[in-house]
Amino acid sequence: MRGSQGFSLIELLLVTLIIGILATIAIPRLTAARDRAFVATMQADLRNLATQQEIHYADELTYSDDLDDLEFSASERVTVDVEEATGTGWSATATHEAFDDDDDGCSVYYGDAEAPELAAPDEAGVIACTR
């Protein structure tokens, strides 16, 4: 009778196969969750910018396209650009460094400003994202 002192080659291959199958299921889900987190960060930055714009409007009766003037700083790896700011409206876009495509990002507009081309929102005050 043979003693059992370890695993057979078939047992090791089965374990490797099972781990491989689990990895092929888990990796795309983790990537999708990471992308959703990046989009949520961009949306939060645009909501924070909207708050800062309204605070500025309450003080100055005009919107600003200068982020320093608004005392606004974006999250790490997020770029926020105010595309248009007038006395009656503003528009802005947010992009994340993790997205290689320049067409991936979020945008918002308020008042009579033109909707940004990147992820053009259907209506004022709604944040739209391409991812």
Side-chain angles (χ1 to χ4, degrees), residues 23 58-59 65 73 108 113 122 125 130:
D59 292 341
D65 60 357
S73 60
V108 65
D122 292 335
T130 56

Side-chain angles (χ1 to χ4, degrees), residues 42-51 53-54 72 80-85 89-95 105-130:
M42 291 185 293
Q43 290 173 331
D45 280 353
L46 289 175
R47 282 191 294 274
N48 291 338
L49 176 64
T51 300
Q53 285 282 21
E54 293 306 318
F72 173 81
V80 175
D81 293 314
V82 178
E83 295 185 0
E84 177 185 2
W90 62 275
S91 64
T93 60
T95 55
C106 298
S107 63
V108 65
Y109 73 98
Y110 282 89
D112 65 353
E114 264 188 56
E117 289 183 27
L118 175 68
D122 292 335
E123 58 185 87
V126 175
I127 298 174
C129 298
T130 56

Side-chain angles (χ1 to χ4, degrees), residues 26-122:
I27 290 173
R29 288 184 182 218
L30 291 174
T31 302
R34 185 191 74 157
D35 288 351
R36 284 192 308 272
F38 292 152
V39 169
T41 302
M42 291 185 293
Q43 290 173 331
D45 280 353
L46 289 175
R47 282 191 294 274
N48 291 338
L49 176 64
T51 300
Q52 290 303 109
Q53 285 282 21
E54 293 306 318
I55 290 170
H56 186 270
Y57 187 83
D59 292 341
E60 305 292 330
L61 296 178
T62 187
Y63 294 106
S64 176
D65 60 357
D66 183 9
L67 296 179
D68 291 333
D69 189 33
L70 294 169
E71 297 179 16
F72 173 81
S73 60
S75 299
E76 187 175 334
R77 300 180 66 200
V78 174
T79 302
V80 175
D81 293 314
V82 178
E83 295 185 0
E84 177 185 2
T86 65
T88 56
W90 62 275
S91 64
T93 60
T95 55
H96 198 286
E97 287 178 12
F99 298 140
D100 295 332
D101 192 359
D102 290 338
D103 294 334
D104 287 335
C106 298
S107 63
V108 65
Y109 73 98
Y110 282 89
D112 65 353
E114 264 188 56
E117 289 183 27
L118 175 68
D122 292 335

Side-chain angles (χ1 to χ4, degrees), residues 14-38:
L14 284 174
V15 168
T16 304
L17 178 68
I18 291 170
I19 291 173
I21 290 170
L22 291 174
T24 59
I25 293 170
I27 290 173
R29 288 184 182 218
L30 291 174
T31 302
R34 185 191 74 157
D35 288 351
R36 284 192 308 272
F38 292 152

